[in-house]
Amino acid sequence: SKAKLFDEKNSIKVSFKDVAGLEGAKDEIVEIVEFLKNPEKYTSIGGKIPKGALLVGPPGTGKTLLAKAVAGEANVPFFSLSGSDFVEMFVGVGASRVRDLFKQAKEKAPAIIFIDEIDAVGRARGKSNFSGSNDERENTLNQLLTEMDGFGSHTNVIVLAATNRAEILDKALLRAGRFDRQIYVDLPDVKEREAIFNVHLRNIKKVDNLDIDFLAKQTPGFSGADIANVCNEAALTAARKNKTQVDMQDFLDAVDRIIGGLEKKNKIISPEE
Ligand code: ATP
């Protein structure tokens, strides 16, 4: 379904309706939509529009989705890259990739630039780096800082970046005039999980009496991405059994499988095991 989110002009079809829960984050980020749509309102009175905001929260909680929704709501192009793309790059490539991206975005302004996993390039300098390509990572980070500092007051490009771990980021990134706003995106509570189920059930043919509240209660600790996964798995299971509607058993089987997957993942990453 990813292809549907973008047309050839990078315009985004995601809206706030697609983002369930996250009311606090949405309240904050809606201001960025305003800045993109109506910059003169803020600049003519002498205000400086923020250049960047950091979306902070666990994996799969909707940070990318929220960034796309900002672009969709403001009806501006969405340019993105992932910090992890830079880890294995040859010298000079990371910095020039960043330069290109900002150049394109400025040409198409107003625009959103989204940098996923910014910690991969934005880790505090001088700390250990498993990839061994520390210099190139620093070049890339420096280029990013240079680009953001170079925004004039009329650039009208806003950089959103996502991370699971704001505390490991280089303080230079968080300085005033860079990513000086942080927006928290948490795991959903039971009501929010119900809302996320409702979003992902929109296009699924399900039995009429499906108890969504019960499903939300069965899925503590699940992220939005996990819930999207449950809905899709349930639909595939039902189809495999030649059913025409997805029923509760299909959903509960999918929940079990995903809990199994989460337990395995936790075992692998937990250092105590
Ligand atoms: P990561 O940190 O792993 O990059 P993320 O926070 O950027 O994760 P997304 O990529 O936005 O998470 O979420 C993955 C998918 O999970 C979304 O495309 C969407 O289908 C679903 N999802 C996550 N959160 C929500 C939400 N709040 N409402 C609806 N769907 C959600």
Side-chain angles (χ1 to χ4, degrees):
S1 74
K2 235 179 191 152
K4 263 196 291 179
L5 301 175
F6 298 84
D7 69 23
E8 279 130 53
K9 296 191 184 86
N10 283 333
S11 79
I12 293 290
K13 302 298 175 232
V14 178
S15 75
F16 284 143
K17 277 206 306 288
D18 301 303
V19 186
L22 302 182
E23 294 308 326
K26 274 195 258 180
D27 281 349
E28 287 188 55
I29 216 163
V30 76
E31 207 184 4
I32 292 180
V33 176
E34 271 300 303
F35 294 145
L36 289 165
K37 277 165 80 170
N38 208 354
E40 295 79 17
K41 177 173 164 186
Y42 301 89
T43 55
S44 63
I45 202 168
K48 286 199 190 85
I49 290 177
K51 297 171 179 179
L54 199 59
L55 300 169
V56 183
T61 45
K63 298 182 290 298
T64 307
L65 192 66
L66 203 54
K68 286 179 179 169
V70 170
E73 294 282 343
N75 198 22
V76 303
F78 180 83
F79 295 89
S80 68
L81 51 83
S82 175
S84 59
D85 295 343
F86 294 110
V87 172
E88 307 240 309
M89 274 190 182
F90 294 110
V91 177
V93 176
S96 79
R97 186 85 45 102
V98 168
R99 208 176 303 125
D100 282 353
L101 186 83
F102 277 75
K103 182 163 176 282
Q104 283 184 51
K106 283 187 277 189
E107 282 167 7
K108 296 271 164 33
I112 284 286
I113 292 178
F114 177 64
I115 305 173
D116 201 3
E117 300 180 60
I118 192 165
D119 37 286
V121 280
R123 234 177 305 122
R125 282 172 273 201
K127 293 248 170 81
S128 73
N129 172 17
F130 301 114
S131 74
S133 57
N134 219 351
D135 290 346
E136 186 46 17
R137 190 180 67 77
E138 277 186 27
N139 288 342
T140 307
L141 174 59
N142 287 333
Q143 188 63 38
L144 178 62
L145 298 176
T146 303
E147 294 291 347
M148 287 181 80
D149 291 347
F151 280 2
S153 53
H154 296 286
T155 304
N156 212 7
V157 173
I158 295 182
V159 188
L160 298 176
T163 183
N164 309 326
R165 297 167 292 176
E167 70 285 355
I168 67 166
L169 291 178
D170 197 303
K171 294 292 170 283
L173 275 169
L174 308 177
R175 214 167 282 154
R178 291 170 180 165
F179 296 99
D180 49 8
R181 297 178 167 214
Q182 298 196 9
I183 298 174
Y184 289 90
V185 176
D186 252 329
L187 283 172
D189 65 18
V190 66
K191 276 284 150 215
E192 292 172 314
R193 291 198 299 276
E194 185 174 346
I196 296 171
F197 267 109
N198 276 311
V199 165
H200 290 280
L201 289 171
R202 280 187 305 208
N203 296 321
I204 288 181
K205 294 200 179 71
K206 56 189 185 305
V207 293
D208 291 335
N209 60 353
L210 187 74
D211 187 349
I212 297 170
D213 172 60
F214 179 73
L215 281 172
K217 287 181 178 141
Q218 296 304 305
T219 48
F222 277 44
S223 66
D226 296 329
I227 292 170
N229 206 351
V230 165
C231 293
N232 194 54
E233 282 285 315
L236 296 180
T237 304
R240 203 176 298 128
K241 294 179 177 163
N242 301 314
K243 296 181 189 173
T244 54
Q245 291 181 318
V246 192
D247 61 30
M248 185 53 100
Q249 196 55 54
D250 301 318
F251 283 99
L252 293 178
D253 289 347
V255 168
D256 275 349
R257 265 207 303 284
I258 282 158
I259 288 175
L262 292 175
E263 281 170 355
K264 237 191 240 154
K265 220 168 32 187
N266 289 339
K267 269 219 184 83
I268 291 165
I269 63 174
S270 163
E272 287 87 13
E273 305 267 336

